[in-house]
Amino acid sequence: MNRYDSERLAELLLEEGYEAVVDEGQADLVVINTCSVREKAEHKALSYLGRLKMLKRRRPEVIIAIAGCVAQQKGASLLDKVPHLDLVVGTHGLAQVPRMLANLAATGRRQCLVDFVYDFGDRPEGSRRPQSAGVSAYVTIMRGCDNHCAYCIVPQVRGRECSRTVREIVGEVESLVASGAREVVLLGQNVNSFGKGLSGNPDFATLLREVAKVPGVMRMRFTTSHPKDLSPVLMGCFAEIEPLCPHIHLPVQSGSDRILARMRRGYTREHFLELVAALRRVRPDVAISSDVIVGFPGEGEADFQDTLGLLEAVRFDALFSFIYSDRPGTPAKRLPGKVPEEVQLERLQSLQGLQERITLERNEAQVGSITPVLVEGPSQVGEGQLSGRSPQNRVVNFAGQPDLVGREVPVLISAACPHSLQGVVASDGYHPLPMVKETSCYGK
Ligand code: SF4
């Protein structure tokens, strides 16, 4: 979501005549787009803002702006605390940045905008700059969230849930495809509840079907999907909509019913396991990734063991795991039973160790198969190597010419690495024989 916002802001600034520079020392305007979902990210952003004081001292004409969740959360108080800061732009104010820059230039007064705006009128349909699309492009379909997970600051900093219209989204997808995108990733805090409040009550499945009709859309993905709202109709889309990739990110957060209730997630461990089984019935090759928070207030050793047990039961293809941190204004901040930091860290390491083994085993199971890879660009693993993704969202590296970028190429998987696969282009009609697994990998 933040990456999408950063891209969108960059587009607006390019339209205003700005150019991107690599070195902040050469910039006329520095914008820090922030995330406050975790304490660490917030600290990082604020400490970078503090360091920009030296730049402002050397070149007082440089404009310094902070945008996104931290700006939304702290508002005008940031202007009081940080004298070298010029603009504070909340999560709904990005489209207003050019106007705020003009006001600053005209009046010399520092600007702050943190109002919530519940329409997408600031984003005319199809307005995406044509030259900006890569092979895979993000499209935001909604913003905000109406859920109340006890640990989460998102509803505070991004406001109530609000969906864009199907027409507007399809317009943006058409524009992205025309400028080279082959894959679109539909983004929302909880895409499963897309459409609330829109005329005609379109649901997320309806939106998926409409996007799939756009000529040139080779692949579709979406994130994030809340388990409590994952309906049979939406699961059925994985069998029905051809461009929809067999991959779902379904954050479980904990494997303990007691902790799930304290987190206010609205589902049980058993319900989550049923969803996984149903998804695999509909689409046996579906890849499932998830998020887990360790060390939530009140999490005991037995709860943590339940989470490890759930990982073994589900065998996620990938997992993002985090240590719980208090966020201001959230119910979890007031919960007793804070888990000591060293215990949180120990649990995180043990959870990550288990998942690394599972991910590697699942990657190893791909060796010897041929998978279609949508080529995204040069790989970081070495000269002459390209990188792309399988339909299951696995990163695949292989040797190939740059003209393959943007195309779907059949790749024979020859080796599994902890976070990626290595392969060779499979020529037409090639059927692999059972092969010995290679053990070397490029370590990506
Ligand atoms: S669904 Fe829960 S975790 Fe996700 S953004 Fe909404 S409140 Fe936060």
Side-chain angles (χ1 to χ4, degrees):
M1 194 67 80
N2 274 36
R3 189 166 137 196
Y4 176 88
D5 284 347
S6 297
E7 282 174 11
R8 189 175 152 211
L9 185 57
E11 287 166 12
L12 284 167
L13 292 172
L14 285 172
E15 280 162 16
E16 292 297 305
Y18 284 92
E19 280 170 30
V21 291
V22 182
D23 176 8
E24 74 196 13
Q26 297 167 350
D28 300 308
L29 166 67
V30 180
V31 185
I32 311 169
N33 191 22
T34 59
C35 168
S36 62
V37 167
R38 294 180 215 293
E39 197 178 16
K40 205 168 149 191
E42 181 182 326
H43 283 168
K44 241 168 118 177
L46 291 176
S47 101
Y48 179 56
L49 176 62
R51 291 201 302 278
L52 289 176
K53 185 177 172 182
M54 300 310 292
L55 176 68
K56 187 82 170 179
R57 195 172 282 168
R58 272 200 323 274
R59 295 179 47 219
E61 72 281 8
V62 176
I63 299 168
I64 296 179
I66 186 161
C69 298
V70 176
Q72 184 70 45
Q73 185 193 324
K74 303 205 177 279
S77 72
L78 273 174
L79 291 178
D80 299 335
K81 286 193 191 125
V82 187
H84 58 277
L85 181 63
D86 299 293
L87 300 187
V88 175
V89 191
T91 52
H92 289 207
L94 292 186
Q96 302 303 323
V97 168
R99 187 178 60 77
M100 293 170 80
L101 288 169
N103 284 349
L104 175 71
T107 64
R109 279 205 297 275
R110 300 152 80 209
Q111 308 279 308
C112 173
L113 180 64
V114 288
D115 297 336
F116 285 143
V117 185
Y118 288 106
D119 67 50
F120 282 89
D122 57 356
R123 182 98 187 127
E125 79 180 77
S127 69
R128 193 86 182 223
R129 295 175 75 254
Q131 60 269 45
S132 64
V135 173
S136 179
Y138 292 115
V139 178
T140 201
I141 62 166
M142 60 205 294
R143 62 183 172 205
C145 182
D146 288 347
N147 288 310
H148 302 283
C149 303
Y151 50 82
C152 186
I153 198 171
V154 166
Q156 272 181 63
V157 294
R158 294 213 170 240
R160 283 194 338 263
E161 192 177 292
C162 169
S163 298
R164 297 174 73 189
T165 64
V166 173
R167 215 175 116 243
E168 206 178 84
I169 295 164
V170 167
E172 183 167 333
V173 170
E174 283 167 347
S175 159
L176 287 165
V177 170
S179 56
R182 294 290 165 263
E183 173 181 274
V184 287
V185 186
L186 306 180
L187 296 178
Q189 304 295 345
N190 179 17
V191 294
N192 299 353
S193 60
F194 171 83
K196 261 197 285 178
L198 290 181
S199 98
N201 295 318
D203 61 5
F204 185 52
T206 308
L207 176 69
L208 287 173
R209 289 188 197 104
E210 291 305 311
V211 171
K213 285 183 201 156
V214 174
V217 170
M218 198 185 267
R219 289 185 175 189
M220 295 159 60
R221 301 184 189 278
F222 58 82
T223 194
T224 295
S225 197
H226 195 305
K228 80 174 167 55
D229 300 320
L230 181 59
S231 67
V233 173
L234 183 53
M235 286 194 254
C237 290
F238 284 106
E240 176 205 324
I241 301 175
E242 214 201 312
L244 185 61
C245 288
H247 168 239
I248 185 166
H249 185 69
L250 200 61
V252 65
Q253 306 300 8
S254 171
S256 153
D257 280 342
R258 208 175 65 81
I259 297 301
L260 287 171
R262 279 169 83 87
M263 286 177 166
R264 304 184 187 175
R265 288 289 288 172
Y267 54 86
T268 60
R269 170 197 178 94
E270 192 188 344
H271 180 60
F272 187 88
L273 290 172
E274 278 164 11
L275 290 175
V276 169
L279 277 164
R280 287 178 173 155
R281 270 196 305 277
V282 171
R283 190 74 208 239
D285 63 341
V286 71
I288 305 175
S289 56
S290 195
D291 295 336
V292 165
I293 297 172
V294 296
F296 187 78
E299 184 191 76
E301 188 53 34
D303 300 304
F304 178 61
Q305 289 303 322
D306 281 348
T307 301
L308 294 183
L310 182 115
L311 261 54
E312 293 275 19
V314 175
R315 294 179 58 78
F316 292 113
D317 294 84
L319 186 77
F320 302 89
S321 45
F322 310 91
I323 283 181
Y324 168 82
S325 60
D326 278 339
R327 301 287 54 226
T330 58
K333 188 171 189 290
R334 300 189 299 272
L335 281 177
K338 295 285 176 325
V339 179
E341 221 177 291
E342 61 278 11
V343 177
Q344 287 183 314
L345 199 59
E346 227 171 77
R347 287 182 187 166
L348 183 74
Q349 283 165 352
S350 133
L351 181 113
Q352 288 181 338
L354 170 60
Q355 184 57 41
E356 271 164 30
R357 171 175 64 74
I358 294 171
T359 302
L360 184 60
E361 284 168 2
R362 290 187 75 82
N363 283 351
E364 281 172 347
Q366 308 305 311
V367 174
S369 66
I370 292 178
T371 189
V373 174
L374 179 60
V375 186
E376 293 176 1
S379 165
Q380 292 166 355
V381 300
E383 188 87 354
Q385 293 277 315
L386 296 174
S387 184
R389 278 172 199 272
S390 71
Q392 285 79 5
N393 212 30
R394 293 190 176 94
V395 173
V396 181
N397 298 305
F398 64 97
Q401 297 301 319
D403 63 351
L404 292 179
V405 173
R407 287 168 54 188
E408 207 173 55
V409 178
V411 175
L412 168 64
I413 304 304
S414 56
C417 305
H419 302 291
S420 63
L421 299 170
Q422 183 69 34
V424 289
V425 175
S427 46
D428 285 348
Y430 177 82
H431 298 289
L433 295 169
M435 58 188 294
V436 178
K437 290 176 186 173
E438 288 179 23
T439 50
S440 63
C441 70
Y442 289 83
K444 185 163 185 268

